[in-house]
Amino acid sequence: MSPLHRYSVAKSRWRTAHEAELATLEDQESVTRHLYMRKSSWANLIISLKGFIDFCSSTRVLDIGGGSTSVFLGLRQGKKYVVDPNLDHFFQRYPFARELPEYKDVNFISLPIEEAVFDKAFDVIFSINALDHMANLRAVVSKLDELLAPSGTLVLVVDCYADQLVARIIRFFDVDPPHPHHLVAGDIQRLFTGYGLLKRDDSIYHIIDAVPSGGDARDTSISFD
């Protein structure tokens, strides 16, 4: 499969991934415990980004694909938006979540990011372990180009395979339903050529799988598995 075609999947394959994500929500034994654990992780992530990003009350922050327990749980400042197609399902199943303090100042949009419309760009965009769940990666990158302010920061976390052979085997046998894409570091570099990606291996790696951000007019940095 050519690199170009590898970055998009059929709608039926994406629906399989989407259904697998919904099943994960159904299987949660304790949503409140899960929220508490994620809040701790994201608070540590925000702390680790100090010096790279200055959050204030006017900072426009977008999380894409992070769902109901995304980085907003650890971020108390800024104008926060979350875009994820599973959000309606989550709030229908756990309506009490809307009353939690961490949720009250967040704008939730239950759509794929490609379909979301905003009237203003964002200062910071988070995509944490979400890119490999999406249907058409080039469309997602194009949307990020549209939504990220010229001086904005992209925080990108991506699970990458160590080499292309392993990724091809996993892709061929399709044994990972929630993930329609199986990426290596080179894929990320090709998709984000305009961002001047900078590989980083530091404490952020230990908070979550990998943290990216990196370059041109946009201030970005990235780390790979």
Side-chain angles (χ1 to χ4, degrees), residues 71-120:
V71 70
F72 71 86
L73 288 173
L75 181 62
R76 302 305 339 126
Q77 291 179 298
K79 298 177 180 179
K80 293 168 283 197
Y81 295 76
V82 178
V83 176
D84 188 289
N86 289 340
L87 288 169
D88 279 350
H89 179 88
F90 175 83
F91 286 117
Q92 286 168 8
R93 185 166 179 80
Y94 308 109
F96 75 88
R98 286 193 179 276
E99 301 306 314
L100 297 175
E102 294 84 357
Y103 285 69
K104 287 188 174 181
D105 62 347
V106 181
N107 300 283
F108 294 102
I109 302 162
S110 190
L111 287 172
I113 184 60
E114 304 93 310
E115 299 176 19
V117 177
F118 301 94
D119 59 2
K120 209 173 170 186

Side-chain angles (χ1 to χ4, degrees), residues 31-44:
V31 162
T32 51
R33 176 172 171 76
H34 183 66
L35 297 183
Y36 175 80
M37 293 171 63
R38 300 314 292 166
K39 180 177 179 179
S40 177
S41 295
W42 301 143
N44 289 335

Side-chain angles (χ1 to χ4, degrees), residues 13 29 43 48 52 78 101 108 116-117 184 214:
R13 179 61 186 85
E29 294 181 3
S48 73
F52 298 97
F108 294 102
V117 177
V184 297

